[in-house]
Amino acid sequence: MMEKLRIYILCIVLLSCGTLYLRAQPERAALWTKFGVNHVLGSAWTLKGEAEMRTQDGLQEIDRWGVMVGADYRVASFLKVAADYEFHYRHRLGKGWQTRNRYNLAATGTLKLAPRWKVSLRERFQHTFADGGNEKRMRTRLKLMYSCTEVWEPYLSAEVYHNLDKGETFYYNKTRYRAGTRVKLASDYAMKLFYCWETERDDRNGNHILGIEGIYSF
């Protein structure tokens, strides 16, 4: 109990320091917050729901509200597939608030490297409908995880977005590098904290993103 309390306090301190840092950044800083609910059905199926809020411009204004519903299916101990639908209400510069619809199809393979180390590879197809058009992306993510204790699991990940609308070949247009940790605060509740550096193909300066997520499972 005391270990979980110390970890919780440490997470709050890190989040507070990170928020102060982002507030000092001009324009290229954002805060992503999310709360999710997972309902486990047997040993294979998991139903999911999420609500999120994102800021932009150094935490000065709201960038996006969103909700998601979906499901995961564990094909084998090392392989999971998923499908979900997202609805976004976004603020676009010069266009005001607009809506966006998206569905995702994904497969994630996880390999145990050592007693405490795991690595996963996820491929996600993302199809978005907005402004009367649509865009298709393939998102490839490689993630390395280390289980320090039963409650503390740091990780590193790298993700590449491929634009499938550029003809018949893959065309990468965005990358995200993330460092964070998953903290299990109770048997049914966990929290994730992360820092993400995001770059666009035509803009290498990058964006600084601080994220916090709460996950309730039952």
Side-chain angles (χ1 to χ4, degrees), residues 3-183:
E3 180 187 5
K4 292 182 179 180
L5 180 60
R6 287 194 295 267
I7 291 175
Y8 180 76
I9 293 173
L10 177 59
C11 290
I12 295 299
V13 171
L14 291 175
L15 179 63
S16 300
C17 293
T19 302
L20 290 174
Y21 170 75
L22 291 183
R23 286 183 65 86
Q25 302 302 307
E27 297 186 356
R28 294 187 174 274
L31 176 67
W32 292 358
T33 61
K34 181 184 295 184
F35 179 74
V37 176
N38 295 340
H39 180 46
V40 181
L41 298 175
S43 59
W45 286 97
T46 300
L47 303 181
K48 305 182 300 179
E50 293 178 352
E52 69 169 350
M53 184 271 289
R54 296 183 178 184
T55 72
Q56 62 181 351
D57 293 337
L59 316 185
Q60 299 301 311
E61 60 183 68
I62 303 297
D63 173 57
R64 165 172 131 184
W65 298 95
V67 293
M68 182 276 287
V69 291
D72 293 348
Y73 179 74
R74 187 164 293 281
V75 180
S77 60
F78 61 89
L79 180 62
K80 179 177 67 176
V81 295
D84 59 65
Y85 162 78
E86 300 178 37
F87 175 79
H88 301 156
Y89 189 50
R90 308 181 303 153
H91 186 264
R92 301 291 89 187
L93 185 63
K95 298 181 179 180
W97 289 92
Q98 298 182 337
T99 61
R100 180 169 71 175
N101 297 275
R102 171 185 293 168
Y103 72 86
N104 302 288
L105 304 173
T108 305
T110 304
L111 178 64
K112 193 171 185 178
L113 301 178
R116 294 181 180 273
W117 290 91
K118 292 185 296 183
V119 63
S120 71
L121 178 65
R122 188 202 68 196
E123 293 287 356
R124 173 186 288 175
F125 172 73
Q126 172 182 293
H127 195 180
T128 305
F129 302 88
D131 300 328
N134 70 92
E135 62 178 29
K136 296 180 286 294
R137 302 286 186 269
M138 184 66 75
R139 296 169 55 174
T140 302
R141 187 194 69 188
L142 184 65
K143 185 177 181 180
L144 180 66
M145 297 153 281
Y146 177 71
S147 299
C148 295
T149 67
E150 293 183 357
V151 299
W152 186 271
E153 186 180 69
Y155 66 88
L156 297 171
S157 70
E159 183 175 17
V160 179
Y161 282 59
H162 299 280
N163 185 350
L164 302 183
D165 299 321
K166 293 284 186 178
E168 299 179 355
T169 60
F170 281 74
Y171 178 89
Y172 99 88
N173 65 318
K174 183 188 295 185
T175 57
R176 285 178 179 168
Y177 302 96
R178 186 178 298 197
T181 187
R182 184 180 187 273
V183 184

